[in-house]
Amino acid sequence: MTSLGIYIHIPFCLQKCLYCDFLSFLEGRKQQALYFDALKKEIAESAPECSEYEVVSVFFGGGTPTSVAPNFIEDVMRLVREKYRLAKNAEITIECNPGTADFEALKIYRKSGINRISIGLQSAKDEELKRLGRIHTLVQFEECYKNARKAGFENINVDLMSALPGQSLADWEESLNFVLSLDQKPEHISAYSLIIEEGTPFYEMYGEEKSSETGHLRVQISPLPDEDTEREMYYRTKMILGGRDYHRYEISNYATDGYECIHNKRYWQGGDYIGFGLGAASLMKGIRYNNTRDFRKYLDALLKTKQTDEGCMTTSLIREDARILDMKSQMEEFMFLGLRMIEGVSISNFKNRFGRNIEEIYADVIKELTDKDLMEKKDDMLRLTSRGIDISNYCMAKFLIDDE
């Protein structure tokens, strides 16, 4: 049976962070209830098209899924179990920000079947959290982490972010070492560098030379680390985590044995997944599409549109930008997503999937990167070297096929 991942988008937050460009916003309990009514209808209506799949992962992302009443999440989990063929050992993740889930809520999530929690720490220093516009403190993270363990979570990820405003190399190492000092250290750590995204308050501050006043929020601008410092943070992350039994399996992700994120690996390895909720993306049977990002349109389509006698699926009204991936696009994605993985891409899988040898398509690129010590072949795998990973964007871009 073909496997499937499910992503469920919860777009609500208590406050939007200064660096965040995700689809998220503040809404009251009434609007949240309407959203979950629409979300459950989408999930139920989409079940028949997923009947041939076994669901191996479910991921509640956002936004902040734990910012809503936990019974909303509990209801969705009940529906997923009723309508979908959920694998016995399915990985089911919920993203959580400290301060948004108390012990009772965490018990509800765990009892509902959620078995993995991803806690957004970002920094172990309160002054850095303030600069990011985060609403929690380090003490709140410690309480959340302790309660998650107490509630029965045995698979915890902690998110950390480097290259923050005003952050030194010593500051970054302090955050890493703090996480490693936790009682029963996390099974997984995601360690990302801050990216200044257009349309965010940080872009107004750092992307262009503008005032530090953004709306009603005023922050003290601190300089970003220089490139040399950022690069050193990157190397120290590998050394520190590698020395504490974490293996790096993707550019920014580290896990102890047996705890790689099943859901995210689907994205990088080209597996099918379906996204539910506002703005969620899907890739099913070679067709990629996105749900509408218009909150009102999403609610109206699913809650107000009447079903016809022919059984018209109202979910078709929220799906946009559907695109059949041609062979060229599929090969490109296989390469530049797969090369995010430290193990690289399988040469035999390429042949099985596309019916052509990888050298037929990419011989020149492979030779160029190999000659520059940016890529290497090991058995059936083609992967970036340590030097190649350092400039991964450059290497991956080489696998975009020029139109003839």
Side-chain angles (χ1 to χ4, degrees), residues 236-253:
R236 291 297 296 159
T237 303
K238 292 191 295 182
M239 292 180 62
I240 291 173
L241 296 184
R244 294 294 301 273
D245 299 325
Y246 288 88
H247 67 273
R248 187 187 190 198
Y249 70 98
E250 190 270 343
I251 290 175
S252 301
N253 286 277

Side-chain angles (χ1 to χ4, degrees), residues 289-356:
Y289 63 87
N290 300 299
N291 283 355
T292 179
R293 296 173 63 89
D294 186 318
F295 187 61
R296 180 50 53 190
K297 180 179 179 180
Y298 182 83
L299 296 184
D300 288 349
L302 290 164
L303 299 181
K304 294 185 178 181
T305 303
K306 293 183 178 180
Q307 203 167 10
T308 67
D309 293 337
E310 292 77 20
C312 174
M313 296 283 286
T314 52
T315 51
S316 64
L317 302 176
I318 63 170
R319 295 179 179 179
E320 301 175 344
D321 305 322
R323 179 170 69 95
I324 298 175
L325 296 182
D326 57 21
M327 188 68 71
K328 169 180 173 291
S329 297
Q330 290 184 50
M331 288 190 292
E332 289 176 343
E333 291 199 3
F334 182 90
M335 297 304 296
F336 67 69
L337 289 177
L339 287 173
R340 291 190 62 89
M341 303 287 292
I342 301 304
E343 68 179 7
V345 297
S346 167
I347 296 169
S348 59
N349 282 351
F350 187 97
K351 177 67 179 294
N352 292 336
R353 181 174 295 197
F354 304 116
R356 301 178 68 178

Side-chain angles (χ1 to χ4, degrees), residues 114-160:
I114 296 172
N115 52 30
R116 183 176 185 269
I117 188 166
S118 180
I119 306 176
L121 170 58
Q122 312 309 352
S123 170
K125 300 178 76 67
D126 284 341
E127 58 268 31
E128 290 179 354
L129 294 173
K130 288 179 182 178
R131 292 185 202 126
L132 291 173
R134 303 287 289 177
I135 61 172
H136 71 269
T137 63
L138 181 60
V139 168
Q140 287 176 305
F141 166 81
E142 291 178 292
E143 181 180 12
C144 181
Y145 189 87
K146 178 181 68 177
N147 284 337
R149 290 298 192 197
K150 188 178 176 182
F153 282 96
E154 298 177 352
N155 188 355
I156 297 181
N157 170 66
V158 173
D159 278 346
L160 286 173

Side-chain angles (χ1 to χ4, degrees), residues 249-261:
Y249 70 98
E250 190 270 343
I251 290 175
S252 301
N253 286 277
Y254 298 78
T256 54
D257 287 345
Y259 288 97
E260 296 179 357
C261 181

